[in-house]
PDB file of all heavy atoms in Angstrom:
ATOM      1  N   LYS A   1      -1.599  -1.425   8.694  1.00 90.00           N
ATOM      2  CA  LYS A   1      -1.876  -2.197   9.902  1.00 90.00           C
ATOM      3  C   LYS A   1      -0.935  -3.391   9.972  1.00 90.00           C
ATOM      4  O   LYS A   1      -0.362  -3.831   8.960  1.00 90.00           O
ATOM      5  CB  LYS A   1      -3.332  -2.667   9.933  1.00 90.00           C
ATOM      6  CG  LYS A   1      -3.682  -3.707   8.875  1.00 90.00           C
ATOM      7  CD  LYS A   1      -5.133  -4.183   9.013  1.00 90.00           C
ATOM      8  CE  LYS A   1      -5.479  -5.232   7.962  1.00 90.00           C
ATOM      9  NZ  LYS A   1      -6.891  -5.694   8.088  1.00 90.00           N
ATOM     10  N   VAL A   2      -0.763  -3.913  11.184  1.00 90.00           N
ATOM     11  CA  VAL A   2      -0.012  -5.143  11.417  1.00 90.00           C
ATOM     12  C   VAL A   2      -0.991  -6.156  11.982  1.00 90.00           C
ATOM     13  O   VAL A   2      -1.662  -5.890  12.988  1.00 90.00           O
ATOM     14  CB  VAL A   2       1.164  -4.920  12.388  1.00 90.00           C
ATOM     15  CG1 VAL A   2       1.913  -6.220  12.609  1.00 90.00           C
ATOM     16  CG2 VAL A   2       2.104  -3.844  11.855  1.00 90.00           C
ATOM     17  N   LEU A   3      -1.135  -7.337  11.317  1.00 90.00           N
ATOM     18  CA  LEU A   3      -2.145  -8.311  11.701  1.00 90.00           C
ATOM     19  C   LEU A   3      -1.622  -9.727  11.468  1.00 90.00           C
ATOM     20  O   LEU A   3      -1.181 -10.055  10.367  1.00 90.00           O
ATOM     21  CB  LEU A   3      -3.434  -8.087  10.890  1.00 90.00           C
ATOM     22  CG  LEU A   3      -4.588  -9.060  11.136  1.00 90.00           C
ATOM     23  CD1 LEU A   3      -5.148  -8.872  12.551  1.00 90.00           C
ATOM     24  CD2 LEU A   3      -5.695  -8.851  10.097  1.00 90.00           C
ATOM     25  N   ASN A   4      -1.667 -10.557  12.516  1.00 90.00           N
ATOM     26  CA  ASN A   4      -1.332 -11.987  12.406  1.00 90.00           C
ATOM     27  C   ASN A   4       0.018 -12.234  11.747  1.00 90.00           C
ATOM     28  O   ASN A   4       0.180 -13.135  10.918  1.00 90.00           O
ATOM     29  CB  ASN A   4      -2.429 -12.724  11.635  1.00 90.00           C
ATOM     30  CG  ASN A   4      -3.756 -12.728  12.360  1.00 90.00           C
ATOM     31  OD1 ASN A   4      -3.815 -12.772  13.589  1.00 90.00           O
ATOM     32  ND2 ASN A   4      -4.837 -12.653  11.604  1.00 90.00           N
ATOM     33  N   GLY A   5       1.005 -11.406  12.107  1.00 91.00           N
ATOM     34  CA  GLY A   5       2.354 -11.621  11.595  1.00 91.00           C
ATOM     35  C   GLY A   5       2.630 -11.015  10.239  1.00 91.00           C
ATOM     36  O   GLY A   5       3.704 -11.232   9.670  1.00 91.00           O
ATOM     37  N   TYR A   6       1.685 -10.234   9.694  1.00 93.00           N
ATOM     38  CA  TYR A   6       1.861  -9.596   8.394  1.00 93.00           C
ATOM     39  C   TYR A   6       1.584  -8.095   8.488  1.00 93.00           C
ATOM     40  O   TYR A   6       0.761  -7.649   9.303  1.00 93.00           O
ATOM     41  CB  TYR A   6       0.939 -10.228   7.350  1.00 93.00           C
ATOM     42  CG  TYR A   6       1.373 -11.618   6.957  1.00 93.00           C
ATOM     43  CD1 TYR A   6       0.970 -12.717   7.707  1.00 93.00           C
ATOM     44  CD2 TYR A   6       2.211 -11.836   5.869  1.00 93.00           C
ATOM     45  CE1 TYR A   6       1.386 -14.003   7.371  1.00 93.00           C
ATOM     46  CE2 TYR A   6       2.633 -13.116   5.530  1.00 93.00           C
ATOM     47  CZ  TYR A   6       2.217 -14.195   6.287  1.00 93.00           C
ATOM     48  OH  TYR A   6       2.630 -15.462   5.961  1.00 93.00           O
ATOM     49  N   VAL A   7       2.284  -7.337   7.657  1.00 92.00           N
ATOM     50  CA  VAL A   7       2.145  -5.887   7.615  1.00 92.00           C
ATOM     51  C   VAL A   7       1.392  -5.522   6.342  1.00 92.00           C
ATOM     52  O   VAL A   7       1.765  -5.969   5.245  1.00 92.00           O
ATOM     53  CB  VAL A   7       3.524  -5.199   7.627  1.00 92.00           C
ATOM     54  CG1 VAL A   7       3.367  -3.690   7.673  1.00 92.00           C
ATOM     55  CG2 VAL A   7       4.348  -5.689   8.810  1.00 92.00           C
ATOM     56  N   TYR A   8       0.334  -4.713   6.465  1.00 93.00           N
ATOM     57  CA  TYR A   8      -0.534  -4.365   5.343  1.00 93.00           C
ATOM     58  C   TYR A   8      -0.412  -2.876   5.009  1.00 93.00           C
ATOM     59  O   TYR A   8      -0.623  -2.021   5.876  1.00 93.00           O
ATOM     60  CB  TYR A   8      -1.995  -4.682   5.676  1.00 93.00           C
ATOM     61  CG  TYR A   8      -2.292  -6.154   5.811  1.00 93.00           C
ATOM     62  CD1 TYR A   8      -1.968  -6.849   6.972  1.00 93.00           C
ATOM     63  CD2 TYR A   8      -2.888  -6.867   4.769  1.00 93.00           C
ATOM     64  CE1 TYR A   8      -2.227  -8.210   7.096  1.00 93.00           C
ATOM     65  CE2 TYR A   8      -3.155  -8.221   4.892  1.00 93.00           C
ATOM     66  CZ  TYR A   8      -2.826  -8.888   6.053  1.00 93.00           C
ATOM     67  OH  TYR A   8      -3.089 -10.229   6.172  1.00 93.00           O
ATOM     68  N   PHE A   9      -0.073  -2.595   3.763  1.00 92.00           N
ATOM     69  CA  PHE A   9      -0.069  -1.229   3.246  1.00 92.00           C
ATOM     70  C   PHE A   9      -1.142  -1.170   2.157  1.00 92.00           C
ATOM     71  O   PHE A   9      -1.120  -1.977   1.215  1.00 92.00           O
ATOM     72  CB  PHE A   9       1.279  -0.873   2.617  1.00 92.00           C
ATOM     73  CG  PHE A   9       2.468  -1.046   3.526  1.00 92.00           C
ATOM     74  CD1 PHE A   9       3.116  -2.271   3.624  1.00 92.00           C
ATOM     75  CD2 PHE A   9       2.962   0.014   4.269  1.00 92.00           C
ATOM     76  CE1 PHE A   9       4.220  -2.444   4.433  1.00 92.00           C
ATOM     77  CE2 PHE A   9       4.068  -0.146   5.090  1.00 92.00           C
ATOM     78  CZ  PHE A   9       4.697  -1.372   5.172  1.00 92.00           C
ATOM     79  N   ARG A  10      -2.051  -0.201   2.245  1.00 92.00           N
ATOM     80  CA  ARG A  10      -3.132  -0.135   1.263  1.00 92.00           C
ATOM     81  C   ARG A  10      -3.331   1.290   0.776  1.00 92.00           C
ATOM     82  O   ARG A  10      -3.287   2.241   1.558  1.00 92.00           O
ATOM     83  CB  ARG A  10      -4.438  -0.669   1.857  1.00 92.00           C
ATOM     84  CG  ARG A  10      -4.432  -2.182   1.963  1.00 92.00           C
ATOM     85  CD  ARG A  10      -5.678  -2.755   2.587  1.00 92.00           C
ATOM     86  NE  ARG A  10      -5.632  -4.226   2.496  1.00 92.00           N
ATOM     87  CZ  ARG A  10      -6.307  -5.048   3.271  1.00 92.00           C
ATOM     88  NH1 ARG A  10      -7.089  -4.579   4.218  1.00 92.00           N
ATOM     89  NH2 ARG A  10      -6.216  -6.346   3.106  1.00 92.00           N
ATOM     90  N   ALA A  11      -3.561   1.416  -0.538  1.00 91.00           N
ATOM     91  CA  ALA A  11      -3.882   2.711  -1.150  1.00 91.00           C
ATOM     92  C   ALA A  11      -5.099   2.509  -2.035  1.00 91.00           C
ATOM     93  O   ALA A  11      -5.216   1.502  -2.732  1.00 91.00           O
ATOM     94  CB  ALA A  11      -2.698   3.231  -1.966  1.00 91.00           C
ATOM     95  N   ALA A  12      -6.017   3.470  -2.010  1.00 91.00           N
ATOM     96  CA  ALA A  12      -7.241   3.367  -2.806  1.00 91.00           C
ATOM     97  C   ALA A  12      -7.672   4.751  -3.261  1.00 91.00           C
ATOM     98  O   ALA A  12      -7.344   5.764  -2.640  1.00 91.00           O
ATOM     99  CB  ALA A  12      -8.362   2.717  -1.987  1.00 91.00           C
ATOM    100  N   GLY A  13      -8.411   4.784  -4.367  1.00 90.00           N
ATOM    101  CA  GLY A  13      -8.988   6.039  -4.843  1.00 90.00           C
ATOM    102  C   GLY A  13      -8.078   6.860  -5.730  1.00 90.00           C
ATOM    103  O   GLY A  13      -8.431   7.972  -6.114  1.00 90.00           O
ATOM    104  N   PHE A  14      -6.903   6.326  -6.107  1.00 89.00           N
ATOM    105  CA  PHE A  14      -6.024   7.076  -6.999  1.00 89.00           C
ATOM    106  C   PHE A  14      -6.441   6.825  -8.445  1.00 89.00           C
ATOM    107  O   PHE A  14      -7.262   5.964  -8.743  1.00 89.00           O
ATOM    108  CB  PHE A  14      -4.562   6.687  -6.774  1.00 89.00           C
ATOM    109  CG  PHE A  14      -4.257   5.220  -6.910  1.00 89.00           C
ATOM    110  CD1 PHE A  14      -3.924   4.664  -8.142  1.00 89.00           C
ATOM    111  CD2 PHE A  14      -4.293   4.377  -5.808  1.00 89.00           C
ATOM    112  CE1 PHE A  14      -3.650   3.310  -8.271  1.00 89.00           C
ATOM    113  CE2 PHE A  14      -4.015   3.021  -5.925  1.00 89.00           C
ATOM    114  CZ  PHE A  14      -3.703   2.492  -7.158  1.00 89.00           C
ATOM    115  N   HIS A  15      -5.857   7.614  -9.356  1.00 88.00           N
ATOM    116  CA  HIS A  15      -6.228   7.525 -10.766  1.00 88.00           C
ATOM    117  C   HIS A  15      -5.074   6.979 -11.601  1.00 88.00           C
ATOM    118  O   HIS A  15      -3.920   6.983 -11.191  1.00 88.00           O
ATOM    119  CB  HIS A  15      -6.670   8.894 -11.290  1.00 88.00           C
ATOM    120  CG  HIS A  15      -7.839   9.463 -10.549  1.00 88.00           C
ATOM    121  ND1 HIS A  15      -9.052   8.819 -10.466  1.00 88.00           N
ATOM    122  CD2 HIS A  15      -7.980  10.601  -9.823  1.00 88.00           C
ATOM    123  CE1 HIS A  15      -9.888   9.541  -9.747  1.00 88.00           C
ATOM    124  NE2 HIS A  15      -9.268  10.615  -9.329  1.00 88.00           N
ATOM    125  N   PHE A  16      -5.381   6.541 -12.805  1.00 83.00           N
ATOM    126  CA  PHE A  16      -4.405   5.984 -13.720  1.00 83.00           C
ATOM    127  C   PHE A  16      -4.151   7.025 -14.818  1.00 83.00           C
ATOM    128  O   PHE A  16      -4.812   8.074 -14.841  1.00 83.00           O
ATOM    129  CB  PHE A  16      -4.960   4.669 -14.295  1.00 83.00           C
ATOM    130  CG  PHE A  16      -5.088   3.575 -13.245  1.00 83.00           C
ATOM    131  CD1 PHE A  16      -6.310   3.303 -12.630  1.00 83.00           C
ATOM    132  CD2 PHE A  16      -3.997   2.830 -12.860  1.00 83.00           C
ATOM    133  CE1 PHE A  16      -6.436   2.306 -11.668  1.00 83.00           C
ATOM    134  CE2 PHE A  16      -4.103   1.827 -11.892  1.00 83.00           C
ATOM    135  CZ  PHE A  16      -5.318   1.566 -11.310  1.00 83.00           C
ATOM    136  N   SER A  17      -3.007   6.938 -15.726  1.00 73.00           N
ATOM    137  CA  SER A  17      -2.790   5.633 -16.292  1.00 73.00           C
ATOM    138  C   SER A  17      -1.584   4.855 -15.782  1.00 73.00           C
ATOM    139  O   SER A  17      -1.702   3.660 -15.541  1.00 73.00           O
ATOM    140  CB  SER A  17      -2.673   5.750 -17.812  1.00 73.00           C
ATOM    141  OG  SER A  17      -1.559   6.540 -18.158  1.00 73.00           O
ATOM    142  N   VAL A  18      -0.375   5.442 -15.605  1.00 81.00           N
ATOM    143  CA  VAL A  18       0.782   4.642 -15.194  1.00 81.00           C
ATOM    144  C   VAL A  18       1.399   5.221 -13.915  1.00 81.00           C
ATOM    145  O   VAL A  18       2.527   5.704 -13.918  1.00 81.00           O
ATOM    146  CB  VAL A  18       1.852   4.559 -16.305  1.00 81.00           C
ATOM    147  CG1 VAL A  18       2.849   3.440 -15.997  1.00 81.00           C
ATOM    148  CG2 VAL A  18       1.228   4.302 -17.656  1.00 81.00           C
ATOM    149  N   PRO A  19       0.694   5.182 -12.799  1.00 83.00           N
ATOM    150  CA  PRO A  19       1.284   5.690 -11.563  1.00 83.00           C
ATOM    151  C   PRO A  19       2.241   4.688 -10.939  1.00 83.00           C
ATOM    152  O   PRO A  19       2.195   3.491 -11.217  1.00 83.00           O
ATOM    153  CB  PRO A  19       0.066   5.917 -10.667  1.00 83.00           C
ATOM    154  CG  PRO A  19      -0.920   4.899 -11.125  1.00 83.00           C
ATOM    155  CD  PRO A  19      -0.702   4.759 -12.610  1.00 83.00           C
ATOM    156  N   LYS A  20       3.096   5.208 -10.081  1.00 87.00           N
ATOM    157  CA  LYS A  20       4.015   4.370  -9.309  1.00 87.00           C
ATOM    158  C   LYS A  20       3.620   4.469  -7.840  1.00 87.00           C
ATOM    159  O   LYS A  20       3.405   5.570  -7.323  1.00 87.00           O
ATOM    160  CB  LYS A  20       5.459   4.832  -9.507  1.00 87.00           C
ATOM    161  CG  LYS A  20       6.492   4.017  -8.727  1.00 87.00           C
ATOM    162  CD  LYS A  20       7.901   4.514  -9.007  1.00 87.00           C
ATOM    163  CE  LYS A  20       8.332   4.165 -10.414  1.00 87.00           C
ATOM    164  NZ  LYS A  20       9.756   4.518 -10.660  1.00 87.00           N
ATOM    165  N   ILE A  21       3.477   3.323  -7.180  1.00 90.00           N
ATOM    166  CA  ILE A  21       3.137   3.290  -5.761  1.00 90.00           C
ATOM    167  C   ILE A  21       4.452   3.205  -4.978  1.00 90.00           C
ATOM    168  O   ILE A  21       5.269   2.328  -5.230  1.00 90.00           O
ATOM    169  CB  ILE A  21       2.251   2.087  -5.410  1.00 90.00           C
ATOM    170  CG1 ILE A  21       1.121   1.908  -6.429  1.00 90.00           C
ATOM    171  CG2 ILE A  21       1.709   2.222  -3.992  1.00 90.00           C
ATOM    172  CD1 ILE A  21       0.126   3.020  -6.464  1.00 90.00           C
ATOM    173  N   LYS A  22       4.633   4.107  -4.015  1.00 91.00           N
ATOM    174  CA  LYS A  22       5.874   4.141  -3.235  1.00 91.00           C
ATOM    175  C   LYS A  22       5.533   3.992  -1.760  1.00 91.00           C
ATOM    176  O   LYS A  22       4.675   4.708  -1.228  1.00 91.00           O
ATOM    177  CB  LYS A  22       6.605   5.460  -3.483  1.00 91.00           C
ATOM    178  CG  LYS A  22       7.992   5.547  -2.864  1.00 91.00           C
ATOM    179  CD  LYS A  22       8.673   6.853  -3.271  1.00 91.00           C
ATOM    180  CE  LYS A  22      10.054   6.980  -2.655  1.00 91.00           C
ATOM    181  NZ  LYS A  22      10.707   8.254  -3.045  1.00 91.00           N
ATOM    182  N   VAL A  23       6.202   3.053  -1.084  1.00 92.00           N
ATOM    183  CA  VAL A  23       5.907   2.738   0.317  1.00 92.00           C
ATOM    184  C   VAL A  23       7.181   2.858   1.144  1.00 92.00           C
ATOM    185  O   VAL A  23       8.228   2.318   0.789  1.00 92.00           O
ATOM    186  CB  VAL A  23       5.343   1.305   0.448  1.00 92.00           C
ATOM    187  CG1 VAL A  23       5.186   0.927   1.910  1.00 92.00           C
ATOM    188  CG2 VAL A  23       4.013   1.185  -0.279  1.00 92.00           C
ATOM    189  N   SER A  24       7.089   3.584   2.266  1.00 91.00           N
ATOM    190  CA  SER A  24       8.195   3.663   3.217  1.00 91.00           C
ATOM    191  C   SER A  24       7.605   3.756   4.619  1.00 91.00           C
ATOM    192  O   SER A  24       6.386   3.886   4.785  1.00 91.00           O
ATOM    193  CB  SER A  24       9.094   4.874   2.926  1.00 91.00           C
ATOM    194  OG  SER A  24       8.341   6.071   2.964  1.00 91.00           O
ATOM    195  N   VAL A  25       8.468   3.670   5.640  1.00 88.00           N
ATOM    196  CA  VAL A  25       8.004   3.775   7.021  1.00 88.00           C
ATOM    197  C   VAL A  25       8.853   4.782   7.777  1.00 88.00           C
ATOM    198  O   VAL A  25      10.023   5.015   7.439  1.00 88.00           O
ATOM    199  CB  VAL A  25       8.049   2.411   7.747  1.00 88.00           C
ATOM    200  CG1 VAL A  25       7.142   1.406   7.084  1.00 88.00           C
ATOM    201  CG2 VAL A  25       9.467   1.878   7.816  1.00 88.00           C
ATOM    202  N   VAL A  26       8.247   5.413   8.773  1.00 85.00           N
ATOM    203  CA  VAL A  26       8.957   6.350   9.642  1.00 85.00           C
ATOM    204  C   VAL A  26       8.619   6.013  11.071  1.00 85.00           C
ATOM    205  O   VAL A  26       7.556   5.435  11.362  1.00 85.00           O
ATOM    206  CB  VAL A  26       8.571   7.818   9.332  1.00 85.00           C
ATOM    207  CG1 VAL A  26       9.025   8.211   7.942  1.00 85.00           C
ATOM    208  CG2 VAL A  26       7.064   8.033   9.477  1.00 85.00           C
TER     209      VAL A  26
END
């Protein structure tokens, strides 16, 4: 989402132990 001049990327419910979070836009 885009809110009050900031862009929010959120991920939840994934598992560990050493994952990498990757964010891009299209």
